[in-house]
Amino acid sequence: MCSSEEADLFRLEEVFSTTLARTNSLILQPLLLADPEPSDPCGRECLRLLQQLHESTQRLWEVTEQSLHSLRQRLYHPPSMGPETLLLLNNADCILQAHMEYIKSYTDCLVVQAFQKVSKRRSEYWRKQRKKLQQLLSWTSSEGSVGTTLCQALSQPLTQHVQKYVLLLLSLRDTLDKQHPAQELVMHAVTLFGNLQSFLRQALDQAMATQALWYSLSSRVRDVLCTPTHRLLQDSQDIPVVVTPLRAERVLLFDDALVLLQGHSIHAFDLKLVWVDPGQDKCVLRILTPEEELSFCARDPQGQVVWQWKVTQAVCQALRGKKDFPVLGSGPESSVPPDSRCVAYTFRREGRLYQATYEGDWCRAKPHGKGTLKWPNGRNHVGDFCQGLEHGFGICLVPQASEDKFDCYKCHWREGCMCDYGICEYGTEEVYKGYFQAGLRHGFGVLDSAPQASQPFRYTGHWERGQRSGYGIEDSGDRGERYIGMWQADQRHGPGVVVTQAGVCYQGTFQGDKMSGPGILLCEDDTLYEGTFTRDLTLLGKGKVTFPSGFTLDGSFSSGTDKGLYTQGVLDTAATPPNPASTRKRQLGLGAFPVESRWQGVYRPFQDFVRSGCPGELQEALLGFHVQSSRELRESQEYLSCERSHPKDRAGSMEDILKELLQHREPQALQQYLRKALSNSRHPLGKLLRTLMLTFQATYSGIGANKHLQGMAQEEVKQHAQELWMAYRGLLKVALQRQGQTLEEEDMETRDLQVHGLLLPLILPSFYSELFTLYLLLHEREDGLYSQGITNLSLFPDTKLLEFLDVQKHLWPLKDLWLTSNQRYSLVRDKCFLSATECLQKIITTVDPREKLEVLEKTYGEIETTVSRVLGREYKLPMDDLLPLLIYVVSRARIQHLGAEIHLIRDMMDPAHTGGLHDFLLTALESCYEHIQKEDVRLHRLPGHWNSRELW
């Protein structure tokens, strides 16, 4: 059975539905028809607000009708439908939302006086309708203007309706048992509509206060501030406050903005970008905004508390994007605004950010976090910010004068300037990859010209304050030469080496981009000039030429009018041809560029990183990153969403790297760890190795593949091994320090053992191609003689060759030969000592000097095994027997470029092997190599029966 309260609710909803319908027909529709197409902006705005009010009224009427229908069903079918089926109870939130939309639409109209403005357009009509309104809406007053009457007619019914809602719902609650299923729904509805009462009261008060405010302002200020969304929360005329440094005459706090008035000047601050900072003084309040820092000084602490609370709650409400419910400062959300926010703002003050729009994260009135800066001229910066400045990774696009051309800076930034590693792709299509400091190229970097440049170039080396300075390599495509040496202020300055495509090398001192004073010229055929040059590297003045034959020309040189070379001096033809070994010693750059100081720009960022404790936030600044090239992105705006791979995606964080490092300190585990680390380009050690490989290729590949640079290259690889070991030790020290431990000092002997025995074999493959090419060129002549000797010896059958090499016959392994019926021992070829020969051939399958020496040791073992088998007893070969047998095996192995192999092994082998078995065997191999070079001479001196036809 239905209660009387439910019947009263039915009648209440019925009356309210009728009232809404009459309000719509008698008030809103005539207001909308008063001027259906206003020409002035103010009229159009009023029409829009009235249309919005009309729609919300219609929506409220529809919801009321639905509620009325559910009440009607409940009254007519009480047994089958309990109180919980009422829309007012089971969907109270929907009804509440409809009421709040109406309240917003109504107060928007009230704030801008829309009713008064529109009613004036048909004042005669409304005077005639006044009596009718009074008859239909008995609660309207007969006094006051038409606009006031309309305001009352549109607000009072709602106010009274909500009030009765609450009273009737409270009565309904009292009629239900505490265990009734509808009890909880009724309590929820009571709470909601009780809160709605408070919300409505506050909304009307704020709207009336805002409407009254406009009368106290000048017309110019009123035209700027009078908007339907503004709600006045606090006025300094009510609670005085003094603002510094702007000295505002009046302060107005709206629900979306803080406004300071100075005469006709208006300073408005978006509340989403206002931070409240209580000062030490109880009467002073600090307000932080993107471009201003204000101090509010109240007369007393109570005034400061009111302003602080009002501004704080207004900021919270603005950040949430909706009105606090039921009143300002209430609700489940936090009443303290967060320091970090995500908002857009356009800077207005003159300066670096003038007219730039920042969209992204903020903290305490400064861009802080990830964001995007956009200038009106098309410049963009997207990336990380800290305290208002670019800090961290960022991509900056700077448009050029020409259409669709821009400079793209993909860099790490520090306090607003490019710093650490970066990639810059310029509108000219030049590309720089390297390090920066204070916005300028500084440290190690590579600058490439545009691919289609008329004068293509590449510079790989050191920079200082934006200029090439220190040790660097420059390739000049148009001149076909490479400069290796020192720079200062963007010019070649100091000791330097020039290598040309023709194989000619110059070494001397440069000044102002030109060679100055005495120098050296080395030709590909080993012709040597020592003397003075012109600035364009032409022989001029006193000098001495040493020819490959050993002849020397000592005199004065000058260039003729027909571009020929004139000389006057003494030609000495009595000298004997120089020793090839002395010719090989003509190496350039060794004394001019100390190896330990050549690539400090590469080592230094890593050393700084380690000294700072390997902080994770600097990991990418050290290791670099990968992003798409500007040539792969057609639209400049695509950069603003360009993603890059982060070091931790591939190599893990520094924490993980250091933890793993501590787990691999035993020799075997350490070797595996270093191999893995060096092969990973995102690991600090791997990145360092990749950069060193880049410098090595820039120096010694292409034009730089010149035999006179072999000495520089060889010592450079050893230095890199030493620096990489020190880099590993630096990481280990940091890892131990984080565990509260210390790293023991390492003596020189232990360090050399680790560098040559552990690290050098691991990194040598990375440099082997360029390095071995230099050895090939340096030993080309000897290898040519060796190759001819091998060719000649290959004509011998096995027994003839063993006899020719003076191998004692009892050591010949004839029992190993399996002959067919028509074969003779004298015709067998490439069968003796076959296992040793095949073993030695493996020496070219590895680049590790240690493994090459192990191959040589196994070859020696195979020779001894074969001899022992022949003799039927264990036999240790003396040097007199070993050398001819080893020559035989070497000649049958036919290893190409054996001289280059031997010298590379000798230069790169572990010093610990000096004087040991490996050293002895390598010396034996060297002797074999030298003997084979001379076999061509010996063969020509053989008796006639040793001619090649008889060998067959």
Side-chain angles (χ1 to χ4, degrees), residues 192-459:
L192 283 183
F193 289 103
N195 289 339
L196 180 61
Q197 263 189 302
S198 302
F199 180 81
L200 175 59
R201 191 179 305 115
Q202 177 182 262
L204 293 174
D205 290 345
Q206 289 178 355
M208 293 299 293
T210 307
Q211 185 189 70
L213 170 69
W214 309 138
Y215 295 106
S216 66
L217 302 177
S218 66
S219 59
R220 182 182 298 180
V221 174
R222 182 169 61 246
D223 290 343
V224 174
L225 297 181
C226 185
T227 63
T229 57
H230 270 163
R231 299 291 185 274
L232 181 65
L233 303 183
Q234 189 62 56
D235 188 343
S236 61
Q237 287 191 346
D238 299 328
I239 300 180
V241 65
V242 176
V243 180
T244 56
L246 291 181
R247 297 293 180 183
E249 299 168 1
R250 191 172 183 182
V251 181
L252 303 173
L253 175 63
F254 293 98
D255 60 350
D256 59 350
L258 178 65
V259 177
L260 277 61
L261 302 180
Q262 286 180 304
H264 295 302
S265 298
I266 302 172
H267 302 276
F269 303 97
D270 184 352
L271 288 182
K272 294 178 181 178
L273 287 163
V274 168
W275 281 258
V276 181
D277 185 15
Q280 298 294 327
D281 191 334
K282 292 184 178 181
C283 294
V284 177
L285 177 69
R286 288 177 64 236
I287 300 293
L288 307 178
T289 71
E291 298 184 84
E292 298 284 356
E293 182 175 328
L294 309 172
S295 293
F296 281 30
C297 184
R299 290 181 179 176
D300 50 54
Q302 290 77 12
Q304 190 266 356
V305 168
V306 172
W307 272 103
Q308 179 179 332
W309 187 86
K310 285 280 184 75
V311 174
T312 299
Q313 302 312 313
V315 170
C316 289
Q317 181 175 263
L319 290 172
R320 286 193 284 268
K322 60 180 182 180
K323 297 284 187 181
D324 287 351
F325 185 82
V327 294
L328 182 68
S330 63
E333 295 89 352
S334 171
S335 60
V336 178
D339 282 340
S340 299
R341 308 168 191 177
C342 186
V343 195
Y345 177 76
T346 300
F347 291 87
R348 298 184 291 268
R349 180 178 289 180
E350 291 286 345
R352 186 176 69 95
L353 300 179
Y354 177 61
Q355 293 186 333
T357 298
Y358 174 78
E359 184 173 358
D361 298 331
W362 296 76
C363 184
R364 296 185 62 79
K366 301 289 185 183
H368 190 89
K370 296 190 179 297
T372 302
L373 266 175
K374 299 180 181 179
W375 281 263
N377 65 356
R379 178 177 177 178
N380 294 286
H381 181 101
V382 57
D384 300 324
F385 292 80
C386 181
Q387 294 298 312
L389 297 173
E390 299 90 333
H391 193 92
F393 179 78
I395 299 177
C396 183
L397 301 182
V398 180
Q400 299 299 298
S402 57
E403 188 177 356
D404 292 333
K405 294 284 187 180
F406 55 89
D407 294 341
C408 175
Y409 302 89
K410 296 173 283 190
C411 307
H412 277 265
W413 302 70
R414 187 178 299 169
E415 297 180 357
C417 295
M418 290 182 288
C419 202
D420 299 321
Y421 185 79
I423 300 175
C424 298
E425 296 164 332
Y426 302 97
T428 59
E429 296 194 34
E430 290 183 355
V431 178
Y432 173 80
K433 297 180 181 180
Y435 291 87
F436 289 84
Q437 183 175 315
L440 300 173
R441 301 168 190 162
H442 192 92
F444 173 76
V446 180
L447 178 64
D448 279 302
S449 65
Q452 308 301 325
S454 58
Q455 295 181 328
F457 69 89
R458 165 179 272 200
Y459 175 79

Side-chain angles (χ1 to χ4, degrees), residues 87-147:
L87 184 71
L88 186 61
L89 299 182
N90 62 33
N91 204 358
D93 292 306
C94 177
I95 297 176
L96 177 74
Q97 186 62 34
H99 281 77
M100 292 182 69
E101 289 176 5
Y102 179 87
I103 293 169
K104 180 185 182 307
S105 300
Y106 170 74
T107 53
D108 284 351
C109 294
L110 187 62
V111 165
V112 297
Q113 299 178 307
F115 305 120
Q116 290 87 336
K117 292 176 183 177
V118 175
S119 63
K120 288 180 181 178
R121 301 177 188 274
R122 297 182 66 186
S123 57
E124 187 63 30
Y125 168 81
W126 290 109
R127 277 195 293 271
K128 293 178 181 179
Q129 294 296 322
R130 181 188 288 270
K131 189 173 182 180
K132 199 171 185 180
L133 281 172
Q134 290 174 346
Q135 292 174 350
L136 294 175
L137 305 172
S138 57
W139 53 85
T140 58
S141 172
S142 59
E143 299 178 0
S145 65
V146 173

Side-chain angles (χ1 to χ4, degrees), residues 579-606:
N579 188 331
S582 64
T583 304
R584 289 198 301 269
K585 292 179 181 177
R586 292 173 181 168
Q587 293 293 305
L588 301 178
L590 293 179
F593 320 117
V595 65
E596 62 274 4
S597 61
R598 282 180 209 163
W599 296 112
Q600 279 301 312
V602 177
Y603 308 138
R604 193 173 296 115
F606 189 94

Side-chain angles (χ1 to χ4, degrees), residues 601-640:
V602 177
Y603 308 138
R604 193 173 296 115
F606 189 94
Q607 294 164 353
D608 293 342
F609 178 70
V610 170
R611 271 196 293 269
S612 62
C614 301
E617 64 272 13
L618 295 182
Q619 183 179 1
E620 188 182 57
L622 168 76
L623 300 181
F625 44 81
H626 174 74
V627 292
Q628 289 175 286
S629 165
S630 61
R631 295 164 193 152
E632 298 170 2
L633 297 175
R634 296 183 180 179
E635 299 294 332
S636 62
Q637 291 299 315
E638 291 181 25
Y639 274 111
L640 304 183

